[in-house]
Amino acid sequence: MGQDSIIKIRDLRTSFFTQNMEVRAVDGVTFDVPKGKTLGVVGESGSGKSITAMSILKLIQNPGKIVGGEIEFKGEDLTKKSEGAMRKIRGNEISMIFQEPMTSLNPVYTVGQQIGESFRIHEKLSKKEALAKSIDMLKLVGIPSPEKRVHQYPFELSGGMRQRVMIAMALACNPELLIADEPTTALDVTIQAQILELMKDLQDRLGMSIIMITHDLGVVAETCDYVAVMYCGKVVEYASVNELFSNPRHPYTVGLLESLPRHDVDVEGEDLAVIRGSVPSPANMPSGCRFAPRCPHAREICNTLPDLIEDENGNQIRCWMYTDEWDSEPEVKVHDTETTKS
């Protein structure tokens, strides 16, 4: 990892504070996004994927706060930037597509006004110039009759078209980094495929880097170059997409992949494999490896948190099984949590 990356995140920690406790939503996240490539960030709900994305843009609001770490973008640490400086970066150098376009688009402004806002703020264009460029952006993302659509309101468009409008807004100023948070969740599979194909095509044409946040490993396999697997606010594995799917190493990654339906395997009479148990409560997080209570391989050593170790190929793993200490550890499992059939 490292040398030719658009953004480098090191030991990022973001917490939410209540009267009597600190919830560590992002707890020491480290990864890089290589220039011109797509990094998939995967994990169950509550693993910290979206909070990591919001932290990059410094959009965390009270009672949340970035409490430590670095977000190095083009050589500068974003955690040290003022709000004014971040406004110049958001939507210009780094853009984000949010999960649900209907809640992200303003219902009282036309799509042309909303796309054009980026041009007016960052490029100081007039209303007429911004409208013309908004039409060009709608053409770019494949919306038919853009001269008509530019004057319509979000409720007049289908879900797929609204998502394309969101992409048009995000790409308005040719960002170097695009963060896509579950960009196809609410769409049917045909529209989903079109949106993903559109993003890949625009990436090839514009040369931007993408962080693709998703729980869908099928989307990762189709669109990503690298994958960071998150669990309970930590990255537990980072690898190239080919390496991750052909040779998953962390027990959590293995569990995720084994629980996928397979069209090429006859499972008649059998149920899908599942990861036993559930994600621990932030109020009662295990002291050691976060996955240990659900892991079929857990031993006594797993009551101590393992470090994120990197191999000679730049792949990373946070698991005692890949350390010298594991070989000297007695083979006594401390949790009866074998991956079961359900």
Side-chain angles (χ1 to χ4, degrees):
M1 284 203 324
Q3 68 278 16
D4 193 28
S5 301
I6 187 71
I7 193 165
K8 302 176 185 179
I9 296 175
R10 296 290 178 267
D11 195 29
L12 177 65
R13 285 169 286 132
T14 301
S15 293
F16 289 82
F17 297 88
T18 65
Q19 272 189 318
N20 46 21
M21 70 177 293
E22 175 187 355
V23 177
R24 296 177 177 178
V26 175
D27 190 12
V29 163
T30 294
F31 61 70
D32 292 1
V33 182
K35 288 182 179 177
K37 302 295 184 181
T38 298
L39 170 70
V41 181
V42 301
E44 292 170 272
S45 296
S47 61
K49 305 185 301 295
S50 295
I51 299 299
T52 299
M54 300 291 272
S55 298
I56 292 172
L57 287 168
K58 291 187 73 175
L59 290 173
I60 303 296
Q61 297 180 333
N62 280 331
K65 183 182 180 183
I66 297 173
V67 295
E70 297 180 355
I71 305 169
E72 185 183 308
F73 178 67
K74 299 199 306 188
E76 296 187 358
D77 187 0
L78 298 185
T79 64
K80 294 181 168 60
K81 295 276 187 186
S82 67
E83 177 59 23
M86 285 305 300
R87 280 199 204 100
K88 293 179 181 177
I89 292 172
R90 294 186 202 119
N92 188 27
E93 297 175 70
I94 305 176
S95 283
M96 186 165 178
I97 304 170
F98 295 92
Q99 282 190 41
E100 177 45 63
M102 204 58 200
T103 58
S104 303
L105 293 170
N106 193 318
V108 301
Y109 291 100
T110 67
V111 297
Q113 288 171 318
Q114 295 183 65
I115 298 170
E117 185 179 13
S118 290
F119 296 123
R120 301 193 68 195
I121 291 173
H122 297 297
E123 298 183 12
K124 311 300 181 188
L125 300 187
S126 67
K127 278 187 179 181
K128 186 176 180 181
E129 291 169 327
L131 181 65
K133 291 199 74 170
S134 297
I135 292 171
D136 290 340
M137 290 307 302
L138 292 179
K139 285 180 185 174
L140 183 68
V141 298
I143 288 183
S145 308
E147 295 84 359
K148 173 188 173 186
R149 301 294 184 186
V150 78
H151 297 294
Q152 291 186 319
Y153 293 87
F155 72 87
E156 297 180 276
L157 305 179
S158 67
M161 280 196 184
R162 287 197 294 267
Q163 196 60 281
R164 287 171 185 263
V165 169
M166 288 292 297
I167 294 174
M169 288 173 64
L171 299 181
C173 294
N174 290 337
E176 295 175 65
L177 175 64
L178 176 67
I179 303 172
D181 188 1
E182 303 275 12
T184 60
T185 297
L187 305 176
D188 67 55
V189 290
T190 305
I191 303 299
Q192 173 177 296
Q194 292 174 359
I195 294 294
L196 294 175
E197 184 64 33
L198 169 66
M199 290 177 64
K200 187 65 180 170
D201 178 54
L202 293 173
Q203 180 182 34
D204 293 340
R205 289 163 63 181
L206 303 174
M208 65 185 173
S209 305
I210 297 176
I211 297 176
M212 176 76 72
I213 297 171
T214 181
H215 63 273
D216 188 333
L217 288 166
V219 169
V220 171
E222 286 182 36
T223 63
C224 298
D225 301 292
Y226 298 90
V227 190
V229 181
M230 289 189 67
Y231 186 79
C232 291
K234 291 185 177 293
V235 172
V236 296
E237 186 165 0
Y238 177 101
S240 69
V241 69
N242 291 334
E243 179 75 14
L244 190 96
F245 278 83
S246 63
N247 183 33
R249 297 194 292 170
H250 196 282
Y252 179 58
T253 310
V254 172
L256 288 177
L257 291 171
E258 285 184 347
S259 63
L260 282 175
R262 295 277 299 276
H263 66 82
D264 58 338
V265 176
D266 184 7
V267 292
E268 187 175 349
E270 294 187 34
D271 294 324
L272 290 174
V274 299
I275 302 173
R276 188 174 176 180
S278 56
V279 179
S281 163
N284 189 27
M285 201 64 74
S287 58
C289 172
R290 303 293 193 256
F291 189 61
R294 306 174 71 188
C295 181
H297 309 290
R299 300 180 185 177
E300 195 66 39
I301 195 174
C302 300
N303 290 321
T304 303
L305 183 68
D307 292 328
L308 191 65
I309 55 176
E310 185 170 331
D311 65 19
E312 64 278 5
N313 298 317
N315 299 322
Q316 296 181 324
I317 183 85
R318 188 188 296 277
C319 183
W320 285 113
M321 290 170 63
Y322 300 93
T323 66
D324 294 337
E325 289 89 340
W326 185 260
D327 296 330
S328 59
E329 177 76 7
E331 290 192 31
V332 179
K333 294 176 183 177
V334 295
H335 301 289
D336 182 20
T337 56
E338 293 289 347
T339 300
T340 60
K341 305 292 179 183
S342 170

